[in-house]
Amino acid sequence: MKKIAFFDAKPYDREWFDRQNTKYDIRYLETRLTKDTAQLAAGCDAVVAFVNDNLDAEVIDMLYNLGIRVIAMRCAGYSNVDFKAAYGKINVVRVPAYSPYAVAEHAVGLLLTVNRKLQRAYNRTRDFNFSITGLTGVDLHGRTAGVIGTGKIGRAFIDICKGLGMRVLAYDVYPAEIAGVEYVTLDGLLTQSDVISLHCPLNEQTKHMLDKKAFAKMKKGVFIINTSRGALIDTEALLSALNAGKVRGAGLDVYEEEAELFYEDNSGNIIKDDLLALLISRPNVVLTSHQAFLTEEALGNIAETTLKNLDEFFSGRYLTNEVCYRCKLGKASESCHHNRKERCF
Ligand code: NAD
């Protein structure tokens, strides 16, 4: 039986993987994967990792030396993987889609919460404080949503925005044909949107795409929603824009420096990250702990696809959901074997 080192395992991961797993001996490890914990994969045949595991060149080399030849990411994003270091050594597979609705619905939830100040209303009524002063929001109907990245999640988000009666603008490096959506330049989106929601991957081009310059171009009173990756936003620039009243509210499921903090109970610890403390202290910021994916449907699909990805690897087949540094570059990279339905290497 093949042994799997499953890093950053939480009770809900176990529940959904154990329901479907019949073939593998899964070693659930509560710790994140880092250079200090990589050794725990000794004796295993594969590593299953998640969004805040560290898969830099050093860790990849350590895993390779332990005999690991496949890393199965149980997530869609892969900005934490050094693909150049893995190329030729370890095949990397992922779960490209498990429930775009889960993430899009959470993004809309953050928008509705931060607009109508539901987090504050909830706290007030729990204390029998029935004052509604200071809780005024805006009608979203008729306002403009600017969607950056119109892939699976962006489109699900767009559908909900249309249902709310919003006008939808979009920016994507690969524009598509989507009824009722007007593609504009990034600047066009920044200057015209009342709500800006991020649904593109994190890479060299998109890091800090919402920086000081971008915030300067936005409408006063814009809402910022980020369920993609924290580093898409320069947090200091966001804080300045919140302080200046330029940003009316921010709904964030991700944070640039989340890796050491998210998914753990840090309530008894002194948080040394002052930027995060400032963000959380703002009454017009709602921050959740990278949980947009967390629905039963998504967890079931993540387990199913990850196990299928491992089956493909161990039976020597083409890896449907493989990513390497060449094919992850996108449609411009025709040279990767993956495009010929072969393993990337
Ligand atoms: P997808 O691949 O279907 O869509 C991404 C879109 O972004 C594509 O249309 C692509 O062309 C576009 N894009 C790429 N580079 C761009 C750029 N520079 N500017 C504008 N657009 C660009 O991906 P998806 O499934 O919709 O997921 C989107 C992101 O959501 C993922 O990259 C991941 O970071 C994040 N995510 C978060 C959670 C969560 O729990 N918070 C869960 C899943 C995914």
Side-chain angles (χ1 to χ4, degrees):
M1 204 180 230
K2 299 288 184 196
K3 284 202 173 88
I4 313 296
F6 191 112
F7 283 91
D8 207 4
K10 297 286 181 273
Y12 47 83
D13 292 315
R14 267 175 195 247
E15 180 188 340
W16 289 88
F17 272 80
D18 283 349
R19 278 191 199 192
Q20 301 194 37
N21 173 37
T22 51
K23 289 188 193 145
Y24 300 103
D25 176 5
I26 303 184
R27 186 186 292 176
Y28 291 105
L29 301 160
E30 286 180 16
T31 179
R32 281 195 307 126
L33 173 59
T34 65
K35 67 179 170 37
D36 299 322
T37 62
Q39 198 59 35
L40 294 169
C44 291
D45 302 285
V47 158
V48 171
F50 197 47
V51 291
N52 287 328
D53 288 311
N54 177 1
L55 289 144
D56 64 11
E58 188 179 1
V59 171
I60 287 186
D61 273 353
M62 290 171 78
L63 295 177
Y64 181 72
N65 291 334
L66 291 172
I68 300 292
R69 295 293 177 268
V70 60
I71 294 170
M73 300 300 294
R74 56 181 197 280
C75 49
Y78 39 63
S79 52
N80 51 335
V81 182
D82 186 329
F83 281 96
K84 278 204 170 158
Y87 194 77
K89 291 178 169 174
I90 301 183
N91 297 91
V92 181
V93 288
R94 65 167 182 147
V95 184
Y98 39 85
S99 170
Y101 314 108
V103 182
E105 288 169 14
H106 192 81
V108 176
L110 287 171
L111 172 61
L112 297 177
T113 304
V114 84
N115 173 30
R116 303 304 297 273
K117 304 176 170 63
L118 300 181
Q119 80 284 13
R120 299 184 64 201
Y122 172 79
N123 284 329
R124 284 189 192 181
T125 53
R126 279 175 66 84
D127 202 25
F128 298 95
N129 172 357
F130 300 117
S131 160
I132 59 169
T133 303
L135 300 185
T136 310
V138 297
D139 277 13
L140 292 173
H141 183 94
R143 286 183 194 260
T144 301
V147 180
I148 300 182
T150 53
K152 294 172 283 297
I153 297 170
R155 286 176 202 217
F157 181 83
I158 286 170
D159 285 344
I160 305 174
C161 289
K162 286 194 209 156
L164 291 171
M166 300 183 81
R167 171 186 175 224
V168 182
L169 298 179
Y171 168 71
D172 193 302
V173 281
Y174 298 109
E177 284 285 318
I178 307 176
V181 174
E182 187 188 338
Y183 277 93
V184 289
T185 59
L186 181 57
D187 272 6
L189 184 144
L190 297 175
T191 51
Q192 295 181 63
S193 302
D194 300 298
V195 172
I196 295 175
S197 193
L198 293 163
H199 299 289
C200 61
L202 173 64
N203 53 39
E204 296 82 35
Q205 288 78 48
T206 59
K207 185 169 180 199
H208 286 187
M209 96 192 290
L210 299 192
D211 59 6
K212 199 174 161 190
K213 277 191 194 153
F215 283 110
K217 290 174 188 160
M218 292 176 199
K219 276 171 122 171
K220 188 170 164 56
V222 65
F223 289 103
I224 302 293
I225 306 298
N226 188 7
T227 53
S228 273
R229 285 292 180 268
L232 293 173
I233 299 181
D234 175 346
T235 310
E236 285 197 56
L238 171 62
L239 272 166
S240 303
L242 282 159
N243 289 345
K246 183 85 180 226
V247 171
R248 187 177 173 112
L252 310 171
D253 185 49
V254 285
Y255 171 62
E256 187 164 7
E257 301 300 330
E258 70 179 47
E260 303 281 321
L261 295 165
F262 281 22
Y263 299 131
E264 301 304 328
D265 180 359
N266 280 294
S267 56
N269 302 333
I270 305 287
I271 299 300
K272 297 189 186 86
D273 183 332
D274 291 343
L275 275 184
L276 178 63
L278 278 171
L279 261 188
I280 289 175
S281 72
R282 292 288 182 277
N284 52 350
V285 173
V286 173
L287 183 124
T288 53
S289 186
H290 207 141
Q291 66 168 76
F293 71 97
L294 197 65
T295 65
E296 293 182 357
E297 290 80 0
L299 289 169
N301 291 336
I302 286 171
E304 185 184 346
T305 305
T306 303
L307 293 167
K308 270 192 194 152
N309 287 342
L310 290 170
D311 291 350
E312 284 180 351
F313 179 82
F314 288 117
S315 59
R317 279 177 281 154
Y318 160 67
L319 300 171
T320 317
N321 297 317
E322 184 172 19
V323 201
C324 76
Y325 83 94
R326 291 197 294 171
C327 56
K328 96 180 169 82
L329 297 176
K331 290 160 198 152
S333 172
E334 302 296 335
S335 60
C336 185
H337 297 187
H338 193 70
N339 297 318
R340 301 198 295 269
K341 293 213 175 290
E342 293 166 18
R343 290 189 176 194
C344 291
F345 56 86

